[in-house]
Amino acid sequence: MLRERVIEAPADGLADTLAARLSRKTMPPGALGKLGALAIALGVAQRREVPAGGPAEALVFAADHGLVAAGISAWPQDVTALMVERLVLGDAAAPVLARASDARVTVVDVGVAGAYRVPLPDLVDARQRAGTRNAAEEDALTPAEVQGALEAGADAADAALARGALVLAPGEMGIGNTGTAALLAHAVGGLDLATLAGPGAGLDAAGVARKRAVLERVVARRPGRLDAEAALVAFGGLEIAAMAGAMIAGGSGRAAVLVDGFIATTAALLALAARPELRPSLIFAHRSAEPGHRLMLNHLGAEPLLDLGLRLGEGTGGLLALPLLKAAAAVMAEMATFESAGIAGP
C-alpha cells in the first residue's frame, strides 16, 4: 500500500530524550499524567525533540457506497452530496470546530454519487467514480480505483504538508460507510462482524438487525481474511482508502496523524496492516459511541485521548483533540525547567 512512501522509524532513543526533557520541567514526576505522555507521543510522531501542536489541517474525504441500496443506512444516499456542500461552505461541524482550534479544512471528493446544487470552487475533485458498486452483488471497486483513492489521499496530505501542516486530522463523509467499515475491519482484522455492525447514523434495533443480515450476506460472497487492498476491492470504500493513503503520506512526511472515530480507525487498521511502521505516527483522538470502535481500538492497542460519546465523523474527534496537542507541545517548548528556575529538585 503506497510502498514508494518511505516511513522512517523514530530515531533511537527519541522517546527517552523526550521523557528526560519532560522530567526536567518544574513539576513532580508524572504530574501532567496523560498530557505528559501525549507530549512524548507527539514528539515521536513528528520525529522532533520539541513537538508542535500545529499548524493543523483536517482532510475530509467524501464518497458514496453502492451497498446503501441493500438497506444498511437510516439516511438516503443524496445526503452525502448535501453534506459536502455544508463542509465546503463552512457551516458543518468539522469547519466550525476547525475554526475554534485555528485549523484548516480541505474537502476532497473521491467518489460522491450525487450532484452539487451550488458551485464549490474550494472542493478538491479527485473523484474515482460516482460511488462504489453494490458489494452485496459484486466487488465494490477495481484495483485501479483503490489505487487511485489511495493516491488521492496521499496527494491531499502532501498538499497540506507543503502548506506547513505538522498535524493532520483525516475525516470522512459518506452515507453507509459504517457498514463498509465493519466489513473491512472484519475481513482485515478478523474482528466480530456482529459487534462491528452498529447503529451508524441512527438505525433503530430493527435497522441494526437488517444491517447485520446484509453484511453477513456480503461476507458470504467474499469470506475469509483479506489483505487491505483486496478488502477495499471487495467492499469499498473510496473515502476509507483515501484516509489510509493520507495517513501513510502523513507518516512519511513526519506529521502527527490524529485518528478520528469508527471509520477513520478502520482506515488506520488497513494502513497498519499493510504498513505497520506507520504506528508511531498515529495518535488516536477519541473513542466513538459506535459499539465496534472500542473493539477496533482494543485490537490496535490504542488508548484514545477523549471519550465524549461522539458519533459524527468528519474528523471532528481529531479537531476536538487539537487543543490537547497544543497544550502538550507548549509544555515541552515553554515550561521552565528546574535548572532555569534555580530549583535543586526534591
Side-chain angles (χ1 to χ4, degrees):
M1 190 179 271
L2 299 179
R3 288 290 171 186
E4 73 281 3
R5 302 284 181 145
V6 177
I7 302 172
E8 297 178 3
D12 288 344
L14 176 58
D16 291 338
T17 298
L18 287 158
R21 183 183 181 92
L22 187 66
S23 72
R24 295 195 297 273
K25 301 297 183 180
T26 49
M27 60 182 174
L32 283 176
K34 291 182 179 180
L35 189 69
L38 174 59
I40 295 169
L42 181 60
V44 169
Q46 295 173 333
R47 280 62 167 174
R48 296 164 61 111
E49 291 188 15
V50 182
E57 185 160 339
L59 304 172
V60 184
F61 301 97
D64 277 305
H65 298 256
L67 193 58
V68 168
I72 63 165
S73 175
W75 295 85
Q77 191 170 74
D78 60 2
V79 170
T80 300
L82 300 177
M83 282 304 304
V84 169
E85 293 177 3
R86 303 332 308 171
L87 286 160
V88 176
L89 294 174
D91 55 8
V96 169
L97 293 175
R99 288 194 293 273
S101 295
D102 194 27
R104 178 187 175 104
V105 176
T106 296
V107 185
V108 184
D109 178 347
V110 285
V112 176
Y116 302 115
R117 302 168 299 175
V118 295
L120 299 173
D122 293 330
L123 177 66
V124 178
D125 183 0
R127 190 180 297 197
Q128 305 300 308
R129 56 173 289 116
T132 64
R133 300 165 187 86
N134 185 348
E137 300 173 354
E138 58 182 323
D139 281 352
L141 296 167
T142 67
E145 289 162 350
V146 169
Q147 186 63 29
L150 288 165
E151 291 174 356
D155 288 346
D158 288 344
L161 295 171
R163 287 187 285 267
L166 295 173
V167 178
L168 299 180
E172 41 62 41
M173 179 62 224
I175 295 300
N177 62 9
T178 59
T180 299
L183 291 165
L184 292 168
H186 171 72
V188 176
L191 305 182
D192 178 60
L193 185 62
T195 303
L196 292 166
L203 288 173
D204 59 15
V208 171
R210 181 174 63 251
K211 177 180 179 179
R212 287 174 179 164
V214 170
L215 298 185
E216 287 169 0
R217 292 201 304 272
V218 177
V219 167
R221 187 184 65 78
R222 287 295 302 270
R225 298 288 289 272
L226 299 172
D227 67 33
E229 292 189 49
L232 287 164
V233 168
F235 308 126
L238 291 160
E239 80 279 36
I240 298 172
M243 281 193 293
M247 291 174 184
I248 291 168
S252 179
R254 296 189 174 191
V257 180
L258 276 168
V259 182
D260 191 31
F262 183 71
I263 314 298
T265 303
T266 301
L269 188 154
L270 300 183
L272 289 169
R275 302 294 301 273
E277 66 271 29
L278 176 64
R279 184 64 182 84
S281 301
L282 303 183
I283 296 173
F284 289 81
H286 78 110
R287 182 180 289 110
S288 167
E290 188 72 7
H293 193 213
R294 184 181 296 271
L295 185 65
M296 277 197 285
L297 290 170
N298 290 342
H299 173 75
L300 294 173
E303 181 60 36
L305 300 175
L306 303 170
D307 190 344
L308 301 175
L310 303 175
R311 49 185 304 174
L312 181 57
E314 301 177 18
T316 50
L319 290 165
L320 285 167
L322 272 178
L324 290 176
L325 266 66
K326 292 181 179 182
V331 164
M332 293 295 273
E334 302 173 26
M335 189 172 175
T337 64
F338 288 116
E339 292 87 350
S340 70
I343 300 172

